[in-house]
Amino acid sequence: MDQSMHGLIGLSGGEWQDLCTRVLRTQHGADLVAVPDKGGDHGLEAYTLSGHVFQCYSPIEPLATQKRYEKQRDKTTEDVGKFINNSEKLKKLFGEHVKIKRWIIMCPYIDSKDLVAHCAAQTKRVRAAKLDYADPDIHVICQTMEDYELSYKKVVNGQLSRMHLPALAEPDYSAVDSSNVDTMREKLGKVPSLRDESRRGEYVKRLLYSYLNGQDFRAYIKDHYTEIHALLESELDDLEQRLVMEFVLDDDRPAAQLKKVLAETEKRVKECAPDTVSGDSRTLAHGQVAEWLMRCPLDFYDDLAS
């Protein structure tokens, strides 16, 4: 899976449906017809005039491969059943001129070939029903965003071009657990230039300022820019793995290591949201580093030579 799409795993049902609709509209334009939820559950989110039906499904994660498959399988079975059983409603919905050639379940992640085989079995089931609104050669298939890569990237780029974050605010520092602050303070004490209590206290306060505002920024991005949120979280998760597996092996002194982590984190944030003003990117990056300092992925060896 493309790294930029990995963060789509775990989107809520509403977030996934909204993203799918925007990507499908980019892909199909005026040919796409969205089906409102109100007025009955037809077991589909949208269809095209050329004969494709879409159902969007994002199970609650994390899930093991087998469990994810079972949920995707059951959802496919259930909604193909609705496609067959709601014949009177669907005849009115599609009219006389639309014949469905593809029934498609769209999921953030498909990692079991068994779902492909299950869709083949559901194809046989739909064809046996001999529905007036279904083409005799209809297929039930499963897809992910990788099947719409160009349209997905257009949606993401459209989000980037209009991204605005709320103004920074003076945060409530009491919202941070004092033991986490103590952990960060202790780690930063290994940096020679921050061994002075007063200087370190000011540095901790600045990191907490970025951490709390960064949390608000990330919540805002999740609510308003779903695709950017998915990409940002994926990149920061990947960087955290590097902290655990690679950076810990570096023999850099604490000050150099901290500087490198701050710079790399800000670089990742800017890659995800290049049009974000530098101050906001820095707040997101420094806030993430503060989180790592508080909950342990980032630590330093004591620089005894200093």
Side-chain angles (χ1 to χ4, degrees):
M1 176 185 287
D2 186 306
Q3 180 68 19
S4 69
M5 297 184 187
H6 192 270
L8 300 178
I9 302 170
L11 290 182
S12 71
E15 291 169 341
W16 177 242
Q17 180 179 340
D18 177 67
L19 173 59
C20 288
T21 300
R22 280 183 285 139
V23 170
L24 291 171
R25 198 172 294 286
T26 300
Q27 179 84 11
H28 296 286
D31 195 42
L32 186 79
V33 180
V35 179
D37 292 334
K38 293 182 180 179
D41 182 6
H42 296 88
L44 59 113
E45 255 80 68
Y47 67 93
T48 65
L49 300 180
S50 56
H52 290 187
V53 156
F54 300 95
Q55 177 59 288
C56 311
Y57 178 59
S58 178
I60 298 173
E61 297 280 354
L63 292 168
T65 295
Q66 180 63 23
K67 195 65 179 177
R68 183 181 298 111
Y69 156 67
E70 290 171 0
K71 287 182 174 292
Q72 292 168 337
R73 175 199 65 195
D74 293 348
K75 180 64 174 174
T76 303
T77 302
E78 177 186 355
D79 287 337
V80 167
K82 292 176 183 176
F83 183 74
I84 294 170
N85 297 328
N86 291 336
S87 57
E88 292 305 315
K89 290 181 180 178
L90 292 177
K91 271 195 248 182
K92 293 178 181 178
L93 184 69
F94 298 132
E96 297 179 1
H97 306 294
V98 175
K99 289 285 187 181
I100 304 305
K101 302 178 181 68
R102 297 286 185 272
W103 190 101
I104 302 166
I105 184 164
M106 291 186 64
C107 302
Y109 187 46
I110 296 170
D111 57 343
S112 173
K113 64 182 182 299
D114 291 339
L115 185 61
V116 178
H118 183 67
C119 286
Q122 292 301 299
T123 294
K124 185 176 180 180
R125 178 188 178 197
V126 174
R127 290 182 180 182
K130 300 186 184 303
L131 303 167
D132 292 340
Y133 42 85
D135 188 272
D137 293 325
I138 185 174
H139 285 272
V140 174
I141 62 175
C142 50
Q143 293 184 334
T144 69
M145 278 298 158
E146 290 184 285
D147 295 289
Y148 301 90
E149 185 174 0
L150 292 179
S151 293
Y152 170 74
K153 288 182 176 178
K154 284 182 181 179
V155 169
V156 172
N157 291 336
Q159 290 283 71
L160 289 172
S161 68
R162 60 185 177 84
M163 183 172 174
H164 289 289
L165 295 175
L168 291 168
E170 188 62 28
D172 177 11
Y173 295 101
S174 66
V176 185
D177 189 288
S178 60
S179 64
N180 290 338
V181 178
D182 290 341
T183 298
M184 177 165 59
R185 191 184 300 275
E186 180 183 350
K187 291 179 181 180
L188 292 173
K190 300 173 185 177
V191 179
S193 59
L194 295 176
R195 285 177 181 163
D196 176 80
E197 286 286 347
S198 176
R199 180 180 290 180
R200 193 186 339 158
E202 182 60 29
Y203 198 86
V204 167
K205 184 176 180 180
R206 287 181 178 275
L207 282 174
L208 289 175
Y209 177 87
S210 293
Y211 170 71
L212 291 165
N213 274 293
Q215 293 294 303
D216 288 343
F217 278 176
R218 285 163 77 167
Y220 186 88
I221 292 170
K222 182 177 181 181
D223 288 342
H224 295 84
Y225 307 99
T226 305
E227 302 76 36
I228 299 174
H229 176 264
L231 180 57
L232 178 63
E233 296 301 314
S234 179
E235 285 293 317
L236 294 177
D237 285 347
D238 178 68
L239 186 54
E240 182 173 323
Q241 290 302 311
R242 289 193 61 201
L243 285 179
V244 175
M245 299 302 297
E246 297 176 37
F247 286 19
V248 72
L249 301 177
D250 289 348
D251 58 4
D252 291 337
R253 292 187 173 187
Q257 187 175 355
L258 178 59
K259 187 175 181 180
K260 180 167 71 174
V261 171
L262 286 166
E264 179 65 19
T265 308
E266 187 171 352
K267 177 186 172 187
R268 295 286 187 106
V269 171
K270 287 295 289 183
E271 287 172 349
C272 295
D275 289 336
T276 307
V277 298
S278 295
D280 290 346
S281 296
R282 197 172 301 115
T283 295
L284 283 162
H286 292 184
Q288 179 61 70
V289 172
E291 181 181 335
W292 286 331
L293 285 167
M294 287 189 286
R295 62 175 177 83
C296 293
L298 178 59
D299 201 353
F300 315 107
Y301 291 110
D302 286 298
D303 191 353
L304 299 177
S306 298

